Amino acid sequence: MSCQDMKHQWEKYKNGTLTDKEAEALEEHTENCEACSAHLEHLLTEDEPLPPTSSATSLSDDTMLDNKKVKKSIYIAKWKQRLSNVTTVIGSVVLLWIIGSFLSIVYYHQSKTEYINSVNQAAIESAFPNVHIRETTSDTQSFFRMQSQMEAYKQIGREEQAIGTFTFHQLFDKTSGVEKAFSGGKYDLNLSFVYPDPKKLKLHAKEYKQWTNETWKALDNLPKGTVSEVAISFDDTYSLKEVQQKMNAIDSRDFSTSWYALNTGHEQKTSTKDEPLIDLTSTFGFPEFLDLPYDHKGNQTHSTSKSNVLNMMKLLADNEETVQKVRQLDHSDLLLKQRYSYVKKHGVGVYGVVITGPTKKLLKLKNDPSITYASLGDVELWNWFSRPSSGTLMNRRG
């Protein structure tokens, strides 16, 4: 039955004179016709249907009851239509969410996820001296989104100390945001370096000597049963191999080298007459064991080498937005492509390192003529030994 055929029935509905058979036909038609369903919606939002006309006042009470029954039937039909629409919308949303989740899983396949996590890890480890990522958890979300949580630690003596969590939010390949949750609410950047520029070394020689002597004095006054971290700066830029040989010559069993300060060609520009130390927000470096999941070519890496460092700088240069969000710097301060080009051209040069170990053993470096500056970081109770076993006890019921 067409909408045109229903026109007369709507008049009867408004007047309350539909028969049971006519009401059933109108109900069936309304459930399957969007136009009539919309018309009924309009009627229902108006005032109650008109009272019976003078010609209908003579209808019996039974007829009036039948009319009420008809109206109720049509009203129920309308709510069935509404429920059907709501169900359709909910089903569409659920289906869309399932499709979006599936597409995200396909998009963030293993190689892509590991590449993104490599970028995020490199952005953190290159920015924070003596900090490395130990645990990473990635969770794909619908509509090409992913969230990665990275647990950051630093080494003090032989133990690793949690410093906080970095949470990266991805939209496709772009980092849309980075949240930092440091243990205790903050992270103090106590370690500092100076750049081996001969002019500045001579200009600030007095300050460097005074500050370095304060570091050695603090180490000397600390109890023997402690371990410390110290950042030392050299009188020149050395190759990675030369620095490793230098540290081994002193006796690497007495301490460990945990982080290398990398010469990227722009460090000397951040220290001035009024601020002779390198601005830590623009310091770049790498951990002793640079272990990014994959380099930019897709090759797995497991140890620190010149090629690993170059791959790290390439990752940073190709993903400047991520580095900006981690360091909260703009392009003019980062200059990542220029830094990468400098390292690629001049090689991996190191002008300082972070070392950690027994406090009194670190004093061996006091008389090293190649060390121009030293700064003291964190100090912990003695842990310079190898435990046969260790673990953590948790509160559990049962």
Side-chain angles (χ1 to χ4, degrees):
M1 190 173 290
S2 66
C3 295
Q4 187 64 28
D5 296 330
M6 288 289 117
K7 186 175 181 181
H8 182 63
Q9 305 297 337
W10 286 119
E11 290 297 325
K12 285 188 175 184
Y13 167 74
K14 291 178 68 176
N15 295 326
T17 58
L18 281 174
T19 65
D20 288 346
K21 186 175 181 180
E22 289 171 335
E24 184 179 348
L26 183 59
E27 178 182 349
E28 181 179 352
H29 178 80
T30 304
E31 288 182 352
N32 299 287
C33 178
E34 292 185 5
C36 287
S37 177
H39 182 62
L40 179 57
E41 175 71 27
H42 174 69
L43 292 178
L44 290 174
T45 56
E46 289 182 341
D47 294 334
E48 286 295 319
L50 294 173
T53 61
S54 57
S55 61
T57 55
S58 60
L59 291 174
S60 66
D61 292 341
D62 290 341
T63 303
M64 295 296 292
L65 290 174
D66 289 341
N67 288 336
K68 290 182 179 180
K69 180 180 178 183
V70 168
K71 292 176 184 178
K72 182 178 180 181
S73 178
I74 297 298
Y75 191 79
I76 292 173
K78 178 55 187 176
W79 278 103
K80 286 182 179 179
Q81 179 69 27
R82 289 178 176 174
L83 181 60
S84 176
N85 291 340
V86 170
T87 302
T88 300
V89 171
I90 293 175
S92 300
V93 171
V94 171
L95 180 61
L96 191 61
W97 180 83
I98 293 174
I99 294 174
S101 298
F102 175 75
L103 291 175
S104 293
I105 292 173
V106 173
Y107 184 81
Y108 292 111
H109 52 81
Q110 182 178 353
S111 297
K112 180 176 286 293
T113 298
E114 288 182 340
Y115 175 83
I116 291 173
N117 286 338
S118 291
V119 174
N120 298 343
Q121 181 176 334
I124 296 171
E125 293 183 341
S126 65
F128 295 87
N130 192 24
V131 170
H132 64 277
I133 300 301
R134 196 175 75 174
E135 301 173 7
T136 300
T137 303
S138 297
D139 178 31
T140 56
Q141 301 173 337
S142 59
F143 306 111
F144 306 100
R145 295 175 299 136
M146 183 175 73
Q147 178 177 294
S148 295
Q149 283 193 335
M150 294 190 160
E151 302 295 332
Y153 290 77
K154 68 186 307 182
Q155 182 182 347
I156 309 295
R158 290 199 187 279
E159 290 187 351
E160 293 183 331
Q161 183 182 88
I163 68 164
T165 302
F166 291 79
T167 303
F168 291 81
H169 299 277
Q170 303 290 148
L171 179 61
F172 289 97
D173 293 342
K174 181 180 179 180
T175 300
S176 58
V178 179
E179 298 174 10
K180 305 168 188 174
F182 294 116
S183 302
K186 63 178 182 177
Y187 178 68
D188 295 323
L189 296 170
N190 295 321
L191 302 175
S192 55
F193 297 93
V194 300
Y195 188 78
D197 182 340
K199 292 183 180 179
K200 290 184 178 179
L201 287 177
K202 184 177 180 180
L203 178 64
H204 300 293
K206 184 177 180 179
E207 293 100 318
Y208 294 156
K209 184 176 181 179
Q210 176 186 345
W211 296 335
T212 300
N213 286 338
E214 289 177 356
T215 296
W216 300 136
K217 184 177 180 180
L219 291 174
D220 191 43
N221 290 333
L222 284 168
K224 186 176 181 180
T226 58
V227 291
S228 305
E229 67 168 345
V230 174
I232 60 176
S233 301
F234 300 125
D235 59 352
D236 200 353
T237 297
Y238 296 93
S239 69
L240 181 59
K241 184 177 181 179
E242 288 174 333
V243 173
Q244 290 171 339
Q245 290 175 341
K246 178 188 290 290
M247 294 295 99
N248 290 335
I250 298 173
D251 195 344
S252 60
R253 293 174 299 178
D254 291 335
F255 55 82
S256 61
T257 305
S258 59
W259 197 82
Y260 297 82
L262 177 65
N263 182 11
T264 65
H266 291 272
E267 282 72 20
Q268 69 272 32
K269 299 177 183 179
T270 65
S271 59
T272 63
K273 182 177 181 180
D274 297 327
E275 186 58 57
L277 302 178
I278 298 175
D279 182 3
L280 272 184
T281 59
S282 63
T283 300
F284 283 78
F286 53 93
E288 168 65 16
F289 298 103
L290 181 58
D291 189 20
L292 301 176
Y294 279 82
D295 65 22
H296 70 285
K297 294 180 180 179
N299 300 319
Q300 205 163 10
T301 62
H302 290 291
S303 60
T304 303
S305 66
K306 291 186 293 184
S307 62
N308 295 157
V309 178
L310 281 174
N311 290 340
M312 180 197 74
M313 292 302 297
K314 179 67 165 56
L315 282 174
L316 299 179
D318 290 343
N319 298 273
E320 184 169 301
E321 283 191 9
T322 301
V323 183
Q324 285 178 329
K325 287 181 170 60
V326 170
R327 291 177 176 257
Q328 298 179 329
L329 296 175
D330 57 29
H331 172 77
S332 61
D333 293 316
L334 287 175
L335 301 173
L336 290 173
K337 293 190 183 299
Q338 291 92 323
R339 292 178 190 268
Y340 169 62
S341 297
Y342 182 91
V343 176
K344 189 175 181 181
K345 179 179 179 181
H346 296 89
V348 176
V350 176
Y351 62 87
V353 294
V354 177
I355 57 176
T356 182
T359 299
K360 301 307 179 183
K361 296 291 185 181
L362 296 178
L363 286 169
K364 284 186 175 183
L365 301 170
K366 182 177 180 179
N367 298 319
D368 190 327
S370 67
I371 296 176
T372 58
Y373 173 71
S375 65
L376 178 62
D378 290 342
V379 179
E380 296 289 338
L381 294 176
W382 181 267
N383 60 38
W384 197 254
F385 49 77
S386 298
R387 292 185 175 132
S389 63
S390 63
T392 302
L393 294 178
M394 305 293 291
N395 292 326
R396 290 184 180 179
R397 296 179 179 179

